[in-house]
Each structure stands twice: as C-alpha cells, then as structure tokens.
Amino acid sequence: MSFVEYGEYIQEGDIAIVFLGRESMFPVKAQHGTQTQTKYGVIRHSSDLIGKRFGSKVNCSKGGWVYVLHPTPELWTQNLPHRTQILYSTDISMITMMLELKPGSVVCESGTGSGSLSHAIIRTIAPTGHLYTVEFHEQRAEKAAEEFREHKVAHLATVKNQDVCKEGFGVVGVADAVFLDIPSPWEAIGHAKAALKEEGKVATCS
Amino acid sequence: MEKISVDHRTIKEGDYVVLKRENVFKAVQVQIKRKVIFEKQWLHLDSVIGQLYGTSFEVAAGGTLQAPKPNPEKNPKETKEAGMDNRNIVDDGRSQKLTRDDIETLKEQGLKGQEIVQQLIENSSTFRDKTEFAQEKYIKKKKKKYDNTITVLKPSTRILALMYHGREPGKICHLRYDTLAQMLTLGNVHAGSKIIVFDTCAGLVLGAVMERMGGYGSVIQMYPGGEPVRAATDNFGFPEHFYKTLHEFPLCKVNLLLDGTLSLDKDKKETVSAVDESNGAMSKAPQDSVQKMGEEVEGEKDSAQASPEVDTMEVTSELPEDKEKEERAARRENKALEKKVKQEEKRKKHLEAAALLQGRNADGLVIAGRFHPTPLVLSLLKFVAPSRPFVIYCQHKEPLIECHTKLRERGGVIGLQLSETWLRHYQVLPNRTHPMLLMSGGGGYILSGITVAMDTATSSGPQKTEEPAPKRQKLQDTES
C-alpha cells in the first residue's frame, strides 16, 4: 500500500485505519509482534492485521470487531495527529480543482503544517509530479518528512525547513501551482512568482 | 519531454479550446476555414494557431481574431475629478450625450472598445460628479459591453465545469463545480486506479475523472441505452493515449455479467434478449434506451435482408433502373458492412470492459446522473473491492436518502455521508470587498461512503446485537 497506490493486503510497515465508527477511527502501523488496544479488545498485528485484506472485519479479544481500512488522504485528514489547524477535505477539493492539479503537476506549498493538504496534493500529482513544501518550524518540518517516508510518498515530496517569505520555495520556474497558507501571504508573493513557470496559478487561504 | 512542455502551451489546429469573453465561456474546436459563433459574433479561429494558450485577442472586422499588439496599457493615472457622493446626481437618462446611432457610427469606424469607452466618458455629463468607485464601476460596465476581447483557454475540469454550470446546467443535472470537486476528492480519484463511472452529465464527470487519472489506470464507463454520451469529454481535448484507458460497458448487460451468464459471442439473438434485460433491469430507465436497443435489432434485420436482394439484382438484366437499384443495394450493403464492423468493434470493447469488471476489484465508483441512484448503486457496488470509496451525485436529496437507507440494509458500506456544499463568491477590491451572492440549494447533493467486506457470518457486531436475536427466537416459538 501507499497513499498513492492501492494495495490489497496489509503488509508489515503498512498504515491501516482502524474503524470503530465514523467518529471513532485511528491510524495504526502494522508491525509483527505489536498489539493495539481498542475498546473492543486487543488487535494482535501478526495474526489479525498482517496478511488481511483491507476492508475486512477484525475480531478483537473482547468479542467486538472493527474494520481495517486502506489509508486515503481523506481518511488521513480526519485522523492525523494535529500539530496545527488543518485544512479539511471540503476546502482541499476546491483548492485541487481551482489550481487544476493533476498527475504531473509541480506544486509549491507553504506552510506544510500537519501535512493534511500535502497528502492530498501528493495523491493528485502522482506518479510524475512533485510537491515542494516549506515549513519554518523545525519539528513540524521533520515530522512531515518522516510521515511522507512512512507513507511511501517521499519520492514525490521535498520538505524544506525555511521561511518562505524570506527565502522562498527553494526552486525557480518549475511550479504549475503555488499554495500559500501562512499568516502574511502577501510577503511571499514575490517568491511565488519566482517559483512559478511562465504560466501558473496561485491560491491562498486564511 | 521538453518538446511536449512547449507544445502543449501552443494552440494547434484541431485542438479543443475554450473561448472566454468576460464571464462567458464556450468550448470549440480549432479548425481552419471554419466559422464559430460566440457571443453573437461569427469568428474565424485561424489566426490563433501558433499562439500561446491564455492569449487575449481583439475581434477585428469580419470576425478574425487579431493577436494582441504589445500595448503600452499603462495609462498614467490622471488625477481624476471625482465627487464625494451621489446626492446631486439625478438619473434622468439624459446624462449621456451620444445617441445609439452615434455609437454605432463609432463602431463602424472601427474604433476599439477602449476608445469607445473613452468617448462615452467624455460625453457623459455626470461622470465627473461620480465618486471614484462609481467611476470605476461605470468604466467596467462599459468595457464589458464594448470591449471585444476574447481569450483562448486550455480546457480543464475547472473551466469546463464553470462553463457547463453557467451555460447549460440542465445538461449536467445542475452539478455545480464545487460539488464536482468534492466528488473527485471524496472518491480518491487518482492515477493508477480502476474507476467505474456512470455519467449522464454529458460526460463532464467522466472527463474530470480522466483528467485526474492522467492516462494511468483505467476508467470504465457504464452507460444506459445504445451509446455512451461523451460530448463534454471530447471538449477536454485529451491526448490519444488517454482514450486507451477508457472503456465502456452497457448497463443492460450488467446483470448478465453479475450472474456469470454474459456471452459476448456473435449472436444476433443476444441483442434481442438484451432488449428484454434492459426492460427489466432499470426500473426507471427512460424510453429512449429501450427504443435505441430496438433500433439496433432492426438494423441487424436490414443487413440480413440486404444480401439476398443484391444477389437477385445481379442476376437480372442491366437496365438503367436496375442499375440504380443495384447501386442503392450496393450502398445498403456497404452500410450494413460498416455496421457489422462497428458492432464487431463494440463487441471487442465490451469484452475488454467485461474482463476488467470481472475481477470485482474496482477501486472506486462515481455515479452522477438523472437516473434514480439506488438500483444503480446496488448493482454496481458489486464490482468494487472492499475498502474503496464511492460517490453518488444527485440533483435532489430525496433519492439519496432512499439510497442511504437501502445501503444500510445491504451492509458492506461504512462512513455513509450525505452532504451539500455552499459556494459564495466575493468581490475583492480595495475597500469594497464583500460577498456577492449566496448560492444555496442549487448545487446538488453527494452521498459518499467506503466499501467494506460484506457480512458473511451470522455473528453480529456491537451495533446489531439487539435486533436480530429476539426476532429469531419468535420465529422458533411459532414454528415449534
């Protein structure tokens, strides 16, 4: 599995979304020997997760059951650990359509934040596009890069830890689209123009 | 790769483009020596070939589009004389000194839009008294009327969805573009997946899905009636290789495929049985689909009759009337042959699509149309793998509410969500930023969910412990 490619069976190292109810879901990383506690009991990864088909029912020790789902950027948005306020799928869909993102698009984004929009962009531009995302907070930048690696999309994203208003995106003339979600987006407009190709789109939100 | 990146920004002959004037769009194909009507003008598109997409053109006399000259557009901001408010401005309709005829004369003289607007300003007695904002608004309004600039755009989901919603919302079941955006995201439409699409929105939704797939993976379009509708899909101007990933399959044969009794052999009887199927399968299918199937059957009969006629023709003497009859018969035979070839191609396509569907491992389902969604969803969901999203669009929420209930009964779906988005436009100008109008109730509704493995075991989960048990006990009581 990866966030940009469907897999059928859960493998070691995969992320799966454990579903107990619409308001009750959480992501879990499948690892041999690990156990996950839920209110319906224990899920033993080696026997209950690994090798199971995504979408199947998993019986927990106390007699209840849960579903294990394939991760998608939408499910990730609903379940990711918040480090900042995030964008939700409704706004993300508008951004994706208005910026005309599609496979092969090159996108520059700042700030990365908790990676909610980033994951959605990566999914849309795969397999030939690229996302250059800039985050000025060191720990958040590192966490984002780590998550991309874990979700097997690191080859599609570059995380830079710098201030986009001062140093820009780190690339020039390559982007089809730029997205700004920062406190003072007007300060980054010059850099956005530099990062864009001759023709490109800019969107910001607040 | 470099060649492509330059090429795809240049307009070429045969390209599908979107013409834009102010907020009006129209999708056309660029063909030399062909006239196109747009905004009450006939245009020749020959001169746009070779220009970059996004270029604006002036409409010259005769309808040719002229490439823009690099204008020194920078009019120095003259200190405009402006009033403070409109308390002294009386709107008696006499403030404009130029008459309609005067303006027509100016137009005939070939004055550009910009210049006409300038003339109008100079001949308006109240212009100087207006506030600065009012002056800008006045100029903008006049420009809109007299400026004849047309921009040529590269088609995309965004532009085509905007166009269809503004021009012909009825054709796309009033699907507003933000709702379409939601569908693409909720359905996790991305490169490399296998998506089933049912689209009676002129093919707009299909095109949007294909754009997001980028030519990777596959799209299977299910269609009612005889032929899939793809008018809007063509307007996207996809490259050839995208169409290799697009398959189609008729709805009327879905039940056969699900039962495993579908045979796509060269059997004429099969088309007749398919007509019966289409009558039964779709509870609310419109009449034309049945009629179309009927027409197909008749076509077959014609071809069968054509051949013996030709034989008899050739035997008799070559009188002029007979010769004419012979020619007609020959033409009929050609048509019949063409039809056979087409049917053969169709059969092959259906075989391909059936092979893709057979695995029942599609990665998503998108339904958008004027048919009642419930029977569609219940049958098409069988082709979708577990843990995959599906999205259903409907102009009204009532059918989706029923769908929701039926899906709950069926089981095998989670996270069902019926939603509607509202879209509000804002005017953004210094000191004048405010919302323009609220669009609500006009964009349609979406029912979305995720498939899961169907419940095969009788042991129920935490949600269903209460209900089934007592019922079973009661039955046992009455039986004993």
Side-chain angles (χ1 to χ4, degrees), chain A residues 28-50:
Chain A
V28 81
K29 184 170 174 176
Q31 276 167 325
H32 275 296
T34 321
Q35 291 183 350
T36 303
Q37 293 290 344
T38 73
K39 70 178 185 190
Y40 299 129
V42 173
I43 301 177
R44 296 188 178 82
H45 291 209
S46 307
S47 52
D48 300 327
L49 282 187
I50 299 183

Side-chain angles (χ1 to χ4, degrees), chain A residues 180-197:
Chain A
L180 296 168
D181 184 5
I182 52 179
S184 313
W186 47 87
E187 290 176 21
I189 290 289
H191 294 292
K193 181 153 195 250
L196 284 171
K197 290 181 183 159

Side-chain angles (χ1 to χ4, degrees), chain B residues 16 27 160 164 171 201-204 228-236 243:
Chain B
Y16 284 91
L160 288 170
Y164 270 96
K171 273 199 176 161
C201 296
L204 176 65
V229 180
R230 287 193 190 146
T233 323
D234 294 332
N235 287 331
F236 278 83
Y243 285 95

Side-chain angles (χ1 to χ4, degrees), chain A residues 4 6-7 22 55 57 65 67 69-70 72 74 90 93-94 96-98 100 103 123 126 128 198-199 201, chain B residues 9 53 156 158 177-178 181-182 185 188 190-191 211-212 216 363 387-389 416 452-453 455 461-463:
Chain A
V4 297
Y6 280 118
R22 175 106 65 81
K57 224 184 225 183
W65 45 255
Y67 282 110
L69 303 175
H70 195 288
T72 65
E74 287 61 55
T90 316
S93 350
M94 258 321 246
T96 312
M97 188 173 80
M98 299 310 266
E100 298 183 9
R123 173 268 312 275
T128 41
E198 298 90 353
E199 263 181 68
K201 294 189 143 53
Chain B
R9 287 182 52 222
Y53 278 105
S156 69
R158 176 183 73 93
Y177 52 99
D178 60 307
Q182 302 300 319
T185 306
N188 194 17
H190 64 280
E211 188 187 67
R212 289 285 193 98
Y216 300 95
D363 295 319
S387 190
R388 298 290 183 269
L416 279 177
V452 286
D455 252 343
Q463 297 137 322

Side-chain angles (χ1 to χ4, degrees), chain B residues 11 21 49 61 71 115 121 142 181 229 286 297 350 374 412 429 447 475:
Chain B
I11 306 172
R21 183 178 170 212
I49 297 175
N71 291 21
E115 291 155 9
I121 294 174
K142 295 304 172 194
V229 180
V297 176
H350 290 180
T374 311
L429 288 171
L447 177 65
L475 271 171

